Amino acid sequence: MVVNIRLADRFDMDSTDTMGRTWAGWDPNATEKELWENNRGRHGFGVRVLEEQFASLSYQGTIRLVARISGREEMPKPESTQRKWALIGEVLPQGDPVRDALVGQPVAPGRNSFIYFDDPFGFSGASSAVASAAVSYTHLTLPTSDLV
C-alpha cells in the first residue's frame, strides 16, 4: 500500500501552525522538497501508516511526488482534541524506480485528505534492488486502472 495525500491549491497558513508552515497545498513553483515539507503533516494518520514504505502527493487526480516514509511524528493542533501526525521521510529523486513508476499515475477521486491505495509493484517491504527489478519488468505492462 501507498498512502496518498491529496492537495488543494496553495493556501496561506496562519501564524499558529505548529509545523511552522506559512503555506500548504499545491504550488507549481515550489520544489519537491518544499512541497513535501509543507504538505506531509497534520493529518489523522493512524498506526496503519507505519506499515507503509511510500507516500505520494497528488494534485487534481494525478500523483506529483513520491517519498520514502521512515516514520511519523505527532503534531499538536491546539484547536483540536484529535491527534494529528506528520510523515517523516525523504522525497525520491527522478530516476528512482518507485518514483518514476508512480509519478503521473491517476488517483481515485474522493473527499478524504489522504487515502491508501494498493502498491501495484509490491514494493512494501521490498529492498531497493528488488523494487528496481520489479519496476524494470512491470512498469511497461501495468494497466493504469490497476492503480485505482
Side-chain angles (χ1 to χ4, degrees), residues 3 5 19 36-37 39-42 45 49-50 52-55 67-75 85-91:
V3 59
I5 301 170
M19 289 181 64
W36 174 251
E37 287 302 319
N39 292 290
R40 67 183 180 87
R42 286 217 350 213
F45 298 120
V49 79
L50 298 174
E52 309 311 332
Q53 194 173 14
F54 301 102
R68 183 178 308 277
I69 302 171
S70 58
R72 68 177 182 166
E73 58 186 329
E74 190 167 4
M75 288 290 141
W85 304 89
L87 296 176
I88 301 168
E90 295 293 324
V91 175

PDB file of all heavy atoms in Angstrom, residues 3 5 19 36-37 39-42 45 49-50 52-55 67-75 85-91:
ATOM      1  N   VAL A   3       0.373   5.457   0.899  1.00  0.00           N
ATOM      2  CA  VAL A   3      -0.524   6.476   1.436  1.00  0.00           C
ATOM      3  C   VAL A   3      -0.384   7.707   0.543  1.00  0.00           C
ATOM      4  O   VAL A   3       0.717   8.147   0.244  1.00  0.00           O
ATOM      5  CB  VAL A   3      -0.256   6.808   2.923  1.00  0.00           C
ATOM      6  CG1 VAL A   3       1.150   7.316   3.154  1.00  0.00           C
ATOM      7  CG2 VAL A   3      -1.282   7.800   3.458  1.00  0.00           C
ATOM      8  N   ILE A   5      -1.556  11.681  -0.149  1.00  0.00           N
ATOM      9  CA  ILE A   5      -2.127  12.907   0.397  1.00  0.00           C
ATOM     10  C   ILE A   5      -2.606  13.747  -0.777  1.00  0.00           C
ATOM     11  O   ILE A   5      -1.823  14.068  -1.677  1.00  0.00           O
ATOM     12  CB  ILE A   5      -1.090  13.692   1.229  1.00  0.00           C
ATOM     13  CG1 ILE A   5      -0.576  12.820   2.382  1.00  0.00           C
ATOM     14  CG2 ILE A   5      -1.686  14.996   1.737  1.00  0.00           C
ATOM     15  CD1 ILE A   5       0.618  13.405   3.115  1.00  0.00           C
ATOM     16  N   MET A  19       3.590  23.378  12.760  1.00  0.00           N
ATOM     17  CA  MET A  19       4.703  22.900  11.947  1.00  0.00           C
ATOM     18  C   MET A  19       5.561  24.060  11.445  1.00  0.00           C
ATOM     19  O   MET A  19       6.572  23.832  10.781  1.00  0.00           O
ATOM     20  CB  MET A  19       4.181  22.080  10.759  1.00  0.00           C
ATOM     21  CG  MET A  19       3.608  20.738  11.153  1.00  0.00           C
ATOM     22  SD  MET A  19       3.013  19.771   9.742  1.00  0.00           S
ATOM     23  CE  MET A  19       4.503  19.473   8.809  1.00  0.00           C
ATOM     24  N   TRP A  36       6.876  18.650  -0.139  1.00  0.00           N
ATOM     25  CA  TRP A  36       6.837  17.614   0.887  1.00  0.00           C
ATOM     26  C   TRP A  36       6.777  18.234   2.283  1.00  0.00           C
ATOM     27  O   TRP A  36       5.930  17.883   3.091  1.00  0.00           O
ATOM     28  CB  TRP A  36       8.037  16.682   0.750  1.00  0.00           C
ATOM     29  CG  TRP A  36       8.146  15.678   1.845  1.00  0.00           C
ATOM     30  CD1 TRP A  36       9.077  15.652   2.839  1.00  0.00           C
ATOM     31  CD2 TRP A  36       7.294  14.555   2.077  1.00  0.00           C
ATOM     32  NE1 TRP A  36       8.853  14.577   3.667  1.00  0.00           N
ATOM     33  CE2 TRP A  36       7.769  13.889   3.220  1.00  0.00           C
ATOM     34  CE3 TRP A  36       6.178  14.043   1.424  1.00  0.00           C
ATOM     35  CZ2 TRP A  36       7.164  12.743   3.731  1.00  0.00           C
ATOM     36  CZ3 TRP A  36       5.568  12.907   1.920  1.00  0.00           C
ATOM     37  CH2 TRP A  36       6.059  12.269   3.062  1.00  0.00           C
ATOM     38  N   GLU A  37       7.677  19.151   2.565  1.00  0.00           N
ATOM     39  CA  GLU A  37       7.742  19.749   3.899  1.00  0.00           C
ATOM     40  C   GLU A  37       6.455  20.489   4.271  1.00  0.00           C
ATOM     41  O   GLU A  37       6.056  20.492   5.428  1.00  0.00           O
ATOM     42  CB  GLU A  37       8.942  20.688   4.017  1.00  0.00           C
ATOM     43  CG  GLU A  37      10.264  19.957   4.103  1.00  0.00           C
ATOM     44  CD  GLU A  37      10.333  18.993   5.282  1.00  0.00           C
ATOM     45  OE1 GLU A  37       9.868  19.330   6.385  1.00  0.00           O
ATOM     46  OE2 GLU A  37      10.849  17.878   5.096  1.00  0.00           O
ATOM     47  N   ASN A  39       3.391  19.803   3.125  1.00  0.00           N
ATOM     48  CA  ASN A  39       2.164  19.008   2.987  1.00  0.00           C
ATOM     49  C   ASN A  39       2.217  17.639   3.651  1.00  0.00           C
ATOM     50  O   ASN A  39       1.254  16.895   3.596  1.00  0.00           O
ATOM     51  CB  ASN A  39       1.844  18.840   1.499  1.00  0.00           C
ATOM     52  CG  ASN A  39       1.459  20.140   0.868  1.00  0.00           C
ATOM     53  OD1 ASN A  39       0.399  20.687   1.125  1.00  0.00           O
ATOM     54  ND2 ASN A  39       2.352  20.679   0.038  1.00  0.00           N
ATOM     55  N   ARG A  40       3.296  17.297   4.310  1.00  0.00           N
ATOM     56  CA  ARG A  40       3.469  15.968   4.894  1.00  0.00           C
ATOM     57  C   ARG A  40       2.711  15.791   6.196  1.00  0.00           C
ATOM     58  O   ARG A  40       2.635  14.694   6.736  1.00  0.00           O
ATOM     59  CB  ARG A  40       4.951  15.674   5.116  1.00  0.00           C
ATOM     60  CG  ARG A  40       5.587  16.549   6.168  1.00  0.00           C
ATOM     61  CD  ARG A  40       7.064  16.314   6.324  1.00  0.00           C
ATOM     62  NE  ARG A  40       7.603  17.172   7.349  1.00  0.00           N
ATOM     63  CZ  ARG A  40       7.632  16.873   8.645  1.00  0.00           C
ATOM     64  NH1 ARG A  40       7.178  15.711   9.072  1.00  0.00           N
ATOM     65  NH2 ARG A  40       8.118  17.730   9.515  1.00  0.00           N
ATOM     66  N   GLY A  41       2.146  16.870   6.715  1.00  0.00           N
ATOM     67  CA  GLY A  41       1.643  16.727   8.066  1.00  0.00           C
ATOM     68  C   GLY A  41       0.340  17.363   8.438  1.00  0.00           C
ATOM     69  O   GLY A  41      -0.274  18.066   7.651  1.00  0.00           O
ATOM     70  N   ARG A  42       0.031  17.067   9.682  1.00  0.00           N
ATOM     71  CA  ARG A  42      -1.189  17.397  10.413  1.00  0.00           C
ATOM     72  C   ARG A  42      -2.398  16.709   9.794  1.00  0.00           C
ATOM     73  O   ARG A  42      -3.392  17.326   9.464  1.00  0.00           O
ATOM     74  CB  ARG A  42      -1.371  18.900  10.527  1.00  0.00           C
ATOM     75  CG  ARG A  42      -0.407  19.464  11.533  1.00  0.00           C
ATOM     76  CD  ARG A  42      -0.871  20.569  12.406  1.00  0.00           C
ATOM     77  NE  ARG A  42      -2.117  21.196  12.106  1.00  0.00           N
ATOM     78  CZ  ARG A  42      -2.377  22.465  12.320  1.00  0.00           C
ATOM     79  NH1 ARG A  42      -1.448  23.240  12.818  1.00  0.00           N
ATOM     80  NH2 ARG A  42      -3.550  22.957  12.070  1.00  0.00           N
ATOM     81  N   PHE A  45      -3.335  10.380  10.556  1.00  0.00           N
ATOM     82  CA  PHE A  45      -2.735   9.077  10.251  1.00  0.00           C
ATOM     83  C   PHE A  45      -2.766   8.180  11.485  1.00  0.00           C
ATOM     84  O   PHE A  45      -2.245   8.541  12.532  1.00  0.00           O
ATOM     85  CB  PHE A  45      -1.267   9.220   9.831  1.00  0.00           C
ATOM     86  CG  PHE A  45      -1.032  10.026   8.597  1.00  0.00           C
ATOM     87  CD1 PHE A  45      -0.256  11.167   8.635  1.00  0.00           C
ATOM     88  CD2 PHE A  45      -1.569   9.631   7.380  1.00  0.00           C
ATOM     89  CE1 PHE A  45      -0.009  11.910   7.495  1.00  0.00           C
ATOM     90  CE2 PHE A  45      -1.340  10.362   6.230  1.00  0.00           C
ATOM     91  CZ  PHE A  45      -0.556  11.509   6.290  1.00  0.00           C
ATOM     92  N   VAL A  49      -0.321   3.706   9.005  1.00  0.00           N
ATOM     93  CA  VAL A  49       0.650   4.373   8.143  1.00  0.00           C
ATOM     94  C   VAL A  49       2.071   3.878   8.410  1.00  0.00           C
ATOM     95  O   VAL A  49       2.925   3.929   7.531  1.00  0.00           O
ATOM     96  CB  VAL A  49       0.544   5.911   8.273  1.00  0.00           C
ATOM     97  CG1 VAL A  49       1.240   6.414   9.531  1.00  0.00           C
ATOM     98  CG2 VAL A  49       1.112   6.595   7.040  1.00  0.00           C
ATOM     99  N   LEU A  50       2.317   3.353   9.604  1.00  0.00           N
ATOM    100  CA  LEU A  50       3.653   2.858   9.940  1.00  0.00           C
ATOM    101  C   LEU A  50       4.002   1.580   9.175  1.00  0.00           C
ATOM    102  O   LEU A  50       5.160   1.190   9.121  1.00  0.00           O
ATOM    103  CB  LEU A  50       3.772   2.635  11.446  1.00  0.00           C
ATOM    104  CG  LEU A  50       3.591   3.891  12.300  1.00  0.00           C
ATOM    105  CD1 LEU A  50       3.589   3.540  13.776  1.00  0.00           C
ATOM    106  CD2 LEU A  50       4.648   4.928  11.974  1.00  0.00           C
ATOM    107  N   GLU A  52       3.462   1.336   6.010  1.00  0.00           N
ATOM    108  CA  GLU A  52       3.718   1.747   4.630  1.00  0.00           C
ATOM    109  C   GLU A  52       5.156   2.212   4.460  1.00  0.00           C
ATOM    110  O   GLU A  52       5.753   2.760   5.371  1.00  0.00           O
ATOM    111  CB  GLU A  52       2.753   2.860   4.212  1.00  0.00           C
ATOM    112  CG  GLU A  52       1.293   2.554   4.487  1.00  0.00           C
ATOM    113  CD  GLU A  52       0.834   1.194   4.015  1.00  0.00           C
ATOM    114  OE1 GLU A  52       1.392   0.652   3.034  1.00  0.00           O
ATOM    115  OE2 GLU A  52      -0.083   0.648   4.633  1.00  0.00           O
ATOM    116  N   GLN A  53       5.665   2.021   3.267  1.00  0.00           N
ATOM    117  CA  GLN A  53       7.030   2.418   2.950  1.00  0.00           C
ATOM    118  C   GLN A  53       7.061   3.676   2.084  1.00  0.00           C
ATOM    119  O   GLN A  53       8.058   4.387   2.060  1.00  0.00           O
ATOM    120  CB  GLN A  53       7.738   1.269   2.239  1.00  0.00           C
ATOM    121  CG  GLN A  53       9.227   1.424   2.161  1.00  0.00           C
ATOM    122  CD  GLN A  53       9.906   0.185   1.607  1.00  0.00           C
ATOM    123  OE1 GLN A  53       9.281  -0.707   1.044  1.00  0.00           O
ATOM    124  NE2 GLN A  53      11.212   0.125   1.759  1.00  0.00           N
ATOM    125  N   PHE A  54       5.940   3.960   1.395  1.00  0.00           N
ATOM    126  CA  PHE A  54       5.920   5.085   0.469  1.00  0.00           C
ATOM    127  C   PHE A  54       4.698   5.961   0.678  1.00  0.00           C
ATOM    128  O   PHE A  54       3.625   5.479   1.045  1.00  0.00           O
ATOM    129  CB  PHE A  54       5.938   4.590  -0.987  1.00  0.00           C
ATOM    130  CG  PHE A  54       7.135   3.755  -1.287  1.00  0.00           C
ATOM    131  CD1 PHE A  54       7.044   2.378  -1.340  1.00  0.00           C
ATOM    132  CD2 PHE A  54       8.376   4.345  -1.500  1.00  0.00           C
ATOM    133  CE1 PHE A  54       8.154   1.596  -1.598  1.00  0.00           C
ATOM    134  CE2 PHE A  54       9.492   3.571  -1.751  1.00  0.00           C
ATOM    135  CZ  PHE A  54       9.382   2.194  -1.801  1.00  0.00           C
ATOM    136  N   ALA A  55       4.886   7.249   0.416  1.00  0.00           N
ATOM    137  CA  ALA A  55       3.798   8.223   0.426  1.00  0.00           C
ATOM    138  C   ALA A  55       3.859   8.986  -0.890  1.00  0.00           C
ATOM    139  O   ALA A  55       4.927   9.152  -1.480  1.00  0.00           O
ATOM    140  CB  ALA A  55       3.941   9.191   1.592  1.00  0.00           C
ATOM    141  N   ALA A  67       7.577   9.914  -1.828  1.00  0.00           N
ATOM    142  CA  ALA A  67       8.593   9.932  -0.772  1.00  0.00           C
ATOM    143  C   ALA A  67       8.663   8.564  -0.113  1.00  0.00           C
ATOM    144  O   ALA A  67       7.679   7.829  -0.088  1.00  0.00           O
ATOM    145  CB  ALA A  67       8.257  10.995   0.276  1.00  0.00           C
ATOM    146  N   ARG A  68       9.829   8.238   0.400  1.00  0.00           N
ATOM    147  CA  ARG A  68      10.004   7.021   1.197  1.00  0.00           C
ATOM    148  C   ARG A  68       9.745   7.410   2.648  1.00  0.00           C
ATOM    149  O   ARG A  68      10.373   8.315   3.170  1.00  0.00           O
ATOM    150  CB  ARG A  68      11.402   6.452   1.039  1.00  0.00           C
ATOM    151  CG  ARG A  68      11.605   5.124   1.809  1.00  0.00           C
ATOM    152  CD  ARG A  68      13.006   4.558   1.597  1.00  0.00           C
ATOM    153  NE  ARG A  68      13.383   4.451   0.199  1.00  0.00           N
ATOM    154  CZ  ARG A  68      13.042   3.427  -0.603  1.00  0.00           C
ATOM    155  NH1 ARG A  68      12.314   2.445  -0.143  1.00  0.00           N
ATOM    156  NH2 ARG A  68      13.443   3.406  -1.855  1.00  0.00           N
ATOM    157  N   ILE A  69       8.819   6.720   3.302  1.00  0.00           N
ATOM    158  CA  ILE A  69       8.442   7.027   4.681  1.00  0.00           C
ATOM    159  C   ILE A  69       9.369   6.300   5.647  1.00  0.00           C
ATOM    160  O   ILE A  69       9.634   5.109   5.491  1.00  0.00           O
ATOM    161  CB  ILE A  69       7.000   6.567   4.974  1.00  0.00           C
ATOM    162  CG1 ILE A  69       6.001   7.221   4.028  1.00  0.00           C
ATOM    163  CG2 ILE A  69       6.631   6.862   6.421  1.00  0.00           C
ATOM    164  CD1 ILE A  69       4.606   6.634   4.150  1.00  0.00           C
ATOM    165  N   SER A  70       9.814   7.033   6.677  1.00  0.00           N
ATOM    166  CA  SER A  70      10.615   6.402   7.725  1.00  0.00           C
ATOM    167  C   SER A  70       9.940   6.491   9.095  1.00  0.00           C
ATOM    168  O   SER A  70      10.474   5.987  10.078  1.00  0.00           O
ATOM    169  CB  SER A  70      12.006   7.049   7.788  1.00  0.00           C
ATOM    170  OG  SER A  70      11.904   8.437   8.017  1.00  0.00           O
ATOM    171  N   GLY A  71       8.771   7.116   9.163  1.00  0.00           N
ATOM    172  CA  GLY A  71       8.044   7.202  10.427  1.00  0.00           C
ATOM    173  C   GLY A  71       7.012   8.306  10.401  1.00  0.00           C
ATOM    174  O   GLY A  71       6.661   8.831   9.343  1.00  0.00           O
ATOM    175  N   ARG A  72       6.535   8.646  11.593  1.00  0.00           N
ATOM    176  CA  ARG A  72       5.590   9.750  11.746  1.00  0.00           C
ATOM    177  C   ARG A  72       5.909  10.451  13.056  1.00  0.00           C
ATOM    178  O   ARG A  72       6.526   9.869  13.953  1.00  0.00           O
ATOM    179  CB  ARG A  72       4.138   9.278  11.726  1.00  0.00           C
ATOM    180  CG  ARG A  72       3.746   8.460  12.937  1.00  0.00           C
ATOM    181  CD  ARG A  72       2.296   8.059  12.955  1.00  0.00           C
ATOM    182  NE  ARG A  72       2.056   7.315  14.202  1.00  0.00           N
ATOM    183  CZ  ARG A  72       0.890   7.031  14.683  1.00  0.00           C
ATOM    184  NH1 ARG A  72      -0.194   7.388  14.033  1.00  0.00           N
ATOM    185  NH2 ARG A  72       0.760   6.363  15.808  1.00  0.00           N
ATOM    186  N   GLU A  73       5.505  11.714  13.148  1.00  0.00           N
ATOM    187  CA  GLU A  73       5.703  12.475  14.375  1.00  0.00           C
ATOM    188  C   GLU A  73       4.409  13.193  14.713  1.00  0.00           C
ATOM    189  O   GLU A  73       3.683  13.640  13.823  1.00  0.00           O
ATOM    190  CB  GLU A  73       6.860  13.460  14.235  1.00  0.00           C
ATOM    191  CG  GLU A  73       6.705  14.465  13.107  1.00  0.00           C
ATOM    192  CD  GLU A  73       7.934  15.331  12.904  1.00  0.00           C
ATOM    193  OE1 GLU A  73       8.639  15.614  13.880  1.00  0.00           O
ATOM    194  OE2 GLU A  73       8.175  15.728  11.745  1.00  0.00           O
ATOM    195  N   GLU A  74       4.130  13.282  16.005  1.00  0.00           N
ATOM    196  CA  GLU A  74       2.901  13.941  16.425  1.00  0.00           C
ATOM    197  C   GLU A  74       3.036  15.441  16.242  1.00  0.00           C
ATOM    198  O   GLU A  74       4.070  16.028  16.541  1.00  0.00           O
ATOM    199  CB  GLU A  74       2.573  13.617  17.877  1.00  0.00           C
ATOM    200  CG  GLU A  74       1.186  14.074  18.261  1.00  0.00           C
ATOM    201  CD  GLU A  74       0.690  13.507  19.581  1.00  0.00           C
ATOM    202  OE1 GLU A  74       1.464  12.807  20.261  1.00  0.00           O
ATOM    203  OE2 GLU A  74      -0.461  13.779  19.926  1.00  0.00           O
ATOM    204  N   MET A  75       1.983  16.027  15.722  1.00  0.00           N
ATOM    205  CA  MET A  75       1.932  17.473  15.504  1.00  0.00           C
ATOM    206  C   MET A  75       0.754  18.028  16.291  1.00  0.00           C
ATOM    207  O   MET A  75      -0.396  17.795  15.934  1.00  0.00           O
ATOM    208  CB  MET A  75       1.713  17.791  14.014  1.00  0.00           C
ATOM    209  CG  MET A  75       2.902  17.528  13.159  1.00  0.00           C
ATOM    210  SD  MET A  75       4.174  18.726  13.537  1.00  0.00           S
ATOM    211  CE  MET A  75       5.618  17.707  13.445  1.00  0.00           C
ATOM    212  N   TRP A  85      -0.730  13.964  12.923  1.00  0.00           N
ATOM    213  CA  TRP A  85       0.598  13.449  12.665  1.00  0.00           C
ATOM    214  C   TRP A  85       1.171  14.026  11.383  1.00  0.00           C
ATOM    215  O   TRP A  85       0.429  14.387  10.470  1.00  0.00           O
ATOM    216  CB  TRP A  85       0.550  11.925  12.533  1.00  0.00           C
ATOM    217  CG  TRP A  85      -0.039  11.253  13.717  1.00  0.00           C
ATOM    218  CD1 TRP A  85      -1.366  10.965  13.918  1.00  0.00           C
ATOM    219  CD2 TRP A  85       0.645  10.797  14.877  1.00  0.00           C
ATOM    220  NE1 TRP A  85      -1.525  10.348  15.129  1.00  0.00           N
ATOM    221  CE2 TRP A  85      -0.308  10.231  15.746  1.00  0.00           C
ATOM    222  CE3 TRP A  85       1.985  10.799  15.261  1.00  0.00           C
ATOM    223  CZ2 TRP A  85       0.023   9.680  16.966  1.00  0.00           C
ATOM    224  CZ3 TRP A  85       2.319  10.255  16.481  1.00  0.00           C
ATOM    225  CH2 TRP A  85       1.348   9.695  17.326  1.00  0.00           C
ATOM    226  N   ALA A  86       2.481  14.053  11.301  1.00  0.00           N
ATOM    227  CA  ALA A  86       3.199  14.387  10.071  1.00  0.00           C
ATOM    228  C   ALA A  86       4.080  13.201   9.722  1.00  0.00           C
ATOM    229  O   ALA A  86       4.660  12.568  10.603  1.00  0.00           O
ATOM    230  CB  ALA A  86       4.050  15.633  10.265  1.00  0.00           C
ATOM    231  N   LEU A  87       4.160  12.910   8.439  1.00  0.00           N
ATOM    232  CA  LEU A  87       5.038  11.838   7.990  1.00  0.00           C
ATOM    233  C   LEU A  87       6.480  12.313   8.021  1.00  0.00           C
ATOM    234  O   LEU A  87       6.771  13.487   7.799  1.00  0.00           O
ATOM    235  CB  LEU A  87       4.671  11.412   6.568  1.00  0.00           C
ATOM    236  CG  LEU A  87       3.282  10.810   6.400  1.00  0.00           C
ATOM    237  CD1 LEU A  87       3.014  10.529   4.922  1.00  0.00           C
ATOM    238  CD2 LEU A  87       3.143   9.543   7.223  1.00  0.00           C
ATOM    239  N   ILE A  88       7.369  11.394   8.299  1.00  0.00           N
ATOM    240  CA  ILE A  88       8.802  11.640   8.227  1.00  0.00           C
ATOM    241  C   ILE A  88       9.305  10.834   7.038  1.00  0.00           C
ATOM    242  O   ILE A  88       8.968   9.649   6.901  1.00  0.00           O
ATOM    243  CB  ILE A  88       9.522  11.185   9.514  1.00  0.00           C
ATOM    244  CG1 ILE A  88       8.963  11.929  10.719  1.00  0.00           C
ATOM    245  CG2 ILE A  88      11.025  11.382   9.393  1.00  0.00           C
ATOM    246  CD1 ILE A  88       9.416  11.347  12.046  1.00  0.00           C
ATOM    247  N   GLY A  89      10.070  11.455   6.168  1.00  0.00           N
ATOM    248  CA  GLY A  89      10.571  10.734   5.018  1.00  0.00           C
ATOM    249  C   GLY A  89      11.352  11.633   4.093  1.00  0.00           C
ATOM    250  O   GLY A  89      11.524  12.825   4.349  1.00  0.00           O
ATOM    251  N   GLU A  90      11.823  11.044   3.022  1.00  0.00           N
ATOM    252  CA  GLU A  90      12.637  11.746   2.030  1.00  0.00           C
ATOM    253  C   GLU A  90      11.989  11.619   0.665  1.00  0.00           C
ATOM    254  O   GLU A  90      11.550  10.533   0.268  1.00  0.00           O
ATOM    255  CB  GLU A  90      14.044  11.145   1.972  1.00  0.00           C
ATOM    256  CG  GLU A  90      14.844  11.313   3.247  1.00  0.00           C
ATOM    257  CD  GLU A  90      15.200  12.764   3.536  1.00  0.00           C
ATOM    258  OE1 GLU A  90      15.472  13.509   2.566  1.00  0.00           O
ATOM    259  OE2 GLU A  90      15.198  13.148   4.716  1.00  0.00           O
ATOM    260  N   VAL A  91      11.972  12.731  -0.060  1.00  0.00           N
ATOM    261  CA  VAL A  91      11.454  12.738  -1.428  1.00  0.00           C
ATOM    262  C   VAL A  91      12.362  11.877  -2.302  1.00  0.00           C
ATOM    263  O   VAL A  91      13.590  11.976  -2.219  1.00  0.00           O
ATOM    264  CB  VAL A  91      11.395  14.176  -1.971  1.00  0.00           C
ATOM    265  CG1 VAL A  91      10.978  14.188  -3.438  1.00  0.00           C
ATOM    266  CG2 VAL A  91      10.452  15.028  -1.135  1.00  0.00           C
TER     267      VAL A  91
END
